[in-house]
């Protein structure tokens, strides 16, 4: 049965301030019982507290985030350099899924580089499968660029048959596709779905100040950039259809995520998303 949880990218400041266990205790108090680990250092203390959260709170560690290669100057663990540790952490936390959160920046330079990334990732997917762990790829909007009439995401899929998908419905929408139809298209590959809403925000007063000052280019820049991330149910996406589509596709986890909070606290945002999903009739998925 699919479970709704939280993407821990939203919680990285709390992890740093009060630790993994206290953070997940607050997540659990809202009603979430699963978490995907991302942008959280997998040091000894955090891994131990994640293990404690599993034991004492019943928190399900849905998946761990990895990279194929570690970018210079960025934290995180890579399949190239940290394969054994990634496997050990996953087994310790009973996480059967790991995910690549983004196409490496260098792979964005050409379609040939995309193919090289996909083939390398597929090799790691095959190695992880030997340990009972699945590897999944998380999309943004860039994967819906077309090359000779074919989406980049399809090129990745074709060249990595052992790797599955984690579909992010906000980025699918921003890429110009319908989230439900996209989930249905990739149903045989999708183990996780990110529940992230898509809102058209109001133009800020500063934009109209630019207009009054004759700065038309500045105003038009603000006009074009009104797309916002939103709490689930506070934007324009049809989650009454998205969640059942994810269930029908066989998704194991649906993870609430919001990249920017626009002045709200993470706890208020997570509470709003929880309340709206419960209001839509999905309480039994928590």
């Amino acid at each position: 049965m699919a479970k709704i949880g939280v993407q821990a990218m939203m919680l990285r400041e709390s992890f740093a301030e009060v630790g993994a266990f206290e953070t997940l205790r607050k997540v659990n108090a809202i009603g979430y019982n699963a978490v995907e680990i991302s942008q959280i250092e997998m040091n000894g203390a955090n891994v131990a507290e994640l293990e404690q959260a599993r034991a004492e709170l019943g928190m399900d560690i849905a998946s761990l985030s990895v990279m194929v290669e570690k970018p210079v100057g960025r934290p995180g663990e890579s399949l190239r350099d940290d394969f054994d540790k990634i496997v050990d952490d996953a087994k310790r936390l009973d996480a059967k899924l790991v995910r690549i959160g983004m196409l490496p920046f260098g792979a964005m330079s050409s379609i040939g580089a995309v193919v090289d990334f996909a083939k390398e990732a597929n090799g790691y997917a095959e190695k992880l499968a030997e340990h009972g762990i699945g590897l999944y790829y998380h999309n943004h909007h860039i994967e819906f660029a077309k090359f000779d009439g074919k989406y980049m995401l399809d090129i990745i899929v074709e060249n990595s048959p052992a790797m599955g998908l984690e579909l992010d419905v906000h980025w699918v929408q921003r890429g110009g596709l319908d989230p439900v139809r996209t989930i249905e298209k990739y149903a045989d590959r999708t183990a996780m779905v990110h529940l992230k809403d898509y809102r058209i925000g109001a133009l800020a007063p500063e934009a109209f100040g630019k207009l009054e000052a004759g700065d038309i280019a500045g105003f038009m820049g603000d006009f074009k950039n009104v797309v916002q991330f939103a709490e689930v149910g506070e934007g324009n996406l049809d989650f009454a259809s998205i969640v059942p589509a994810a269930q029908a596709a066989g998704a194991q986890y649906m993870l609430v995520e919001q990249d920017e909070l626009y002045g709200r606290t993470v706890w208020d945002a997570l509470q709003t998303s929880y309340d709206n999903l419960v209001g839509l009739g999905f309480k039994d998925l928590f």
Side-chain angles (χ1 to χ4, degrees):
M1 180 177 177
K3 181 183 289 188
I4 296 176
V6 173
Q7 221 285 350
M9 175 276 292
M10 300 177 66
L11 305 167
R12 59 189 182 276
E13 292 182 4
S14 181
F15 268 66
E17 291 170 2
V18 301
F21 181 80
E22 283 302 311
T23 297
L24 295 181
R25 185 183 60 76
K26 294 175 73 173
V27 168
N28 181 257
I30 295 172
Y32 299 95
N33 295 293
V35 62
E36 175 176 74
I37 303 303
S38 179
Q39 300 186 31
I40 306 299
E41 185 179 358
M42 292 296 284
N43 56 31
N46 278 339
V47 173
E49 289 196 26
L50 289 173
E51 193 171 34
Q52 181 186 5
R54 285 190 66 247
E56 297 183 21
L57 304 174
M59 185 63 64
D60 187 348
I61 309 301
S63 66
L64 306 179
S65 294
V66 300
M67 298 175 281
V68 167
E69 59 181 296
K70 192 180 301 183
V72 175
R74 286 183 60 195
E77 295 179 344
S78 74
L79 292 164
R80 284 183 187 173
D81 300 329
D82 308 291
F83 185 88
D84 291 341
K85 182 181 183 302
I86 289 167
V87 170
D88 289 345
D89 287 345
K91 290 184 176 180
R92 180 175 174 182
L93 298 171
D94 196 30
K96 301 295 195 300
L97 314 176
V98 299
R99 43 88 72 170
I100 296 170
M102 176 175 270
L103 189 69
F105 295 148
M108 299 178 189
S109 63
S110 69
I111 199 61
V114 170
V115 171
D116 289 343
F117 156 76
K119 289 182 176 179
E120 183 176 5
N122 190 69
Y124 288 119
E126 292 175 344
K127 288 181 63 178
L128 286 166
E130 295 173 3
H131 298 275
I133 300 168
L135 180 64
Y136 296 83
Y137 177 78
H138 169 273
N139 69 281
H140 289 78
H141 53 356
I142 194 170
E143 290 86 356
F144 299 105
K146 283 186 175 180
F147 297 85
D148 296 325
K150 185 179 294 186
Y151 293 124
M152 183 194 293
L153 186 59
D154 287 326
I155 294 170
I156 292 172
V157 166
E158 290 171 4
N159 287 279
S160 57
M163 180 169 66
L165 293 175
E166 176 181 61
L167 292 175
D168 186 309
V169 297
H170 173 99
W171 289 111
V172 169
Q173 180 75 22
R174 197 175 286 214
L177 279 73
D178 174 73
V180 169
R181 291 177 65 186
T182 302
I183 290 169
E184 292 171 347
K185 174 180 177 179
Y186 298 108
D188 61 332
R189 300 288 291 266
T190 302
M192 294 176 284
V193 173
H194 275 189
L195 304 182
K196 180 191 303 179
D197 216 336
Y198 181 105
R199 175 171 59 211
I200 303 301
L203 279 164
E206 292 80 5
F208 295 97
K210 295 175 185 177
L211 186 63
E212 292 171 3
D215 182 5
I216 303 301
F219 175 81
M220 290 306 298
D222 291 338
F223 174 81
K224 293 175 183 176
N225 290 296
V226 293
V227 173
Q228 294 183 350
F229 303 98
E231 298 82 357
V232 174
E234 298 295 310
N236 295 339
L237 295 188
D238 180 12
F239 286 97
S241 299
I242 288 170
V243 171
Q247 290 178 282
Q252 298 175 44
Y253 297 99
M254 290 172 270
L255 300 151
V256 171
E257 183 183 34
Q258 188 175 345
D259 294 34
E260 296 182 37
L261 299 174
Y262 311 100
R264 299 195 77 198
T265 72
V266 66
W267 309 111
D268 288 341
L270 286 174
Q271 186 70 60
T272 296
S273 291
Y274 175 85
D275 290 344
N276 288 341
L277 286 163
V278 169
L280 287 170
F282 301 127
K283 184 175 178 57
D284 61 332
L285 298 182
F286 287 93

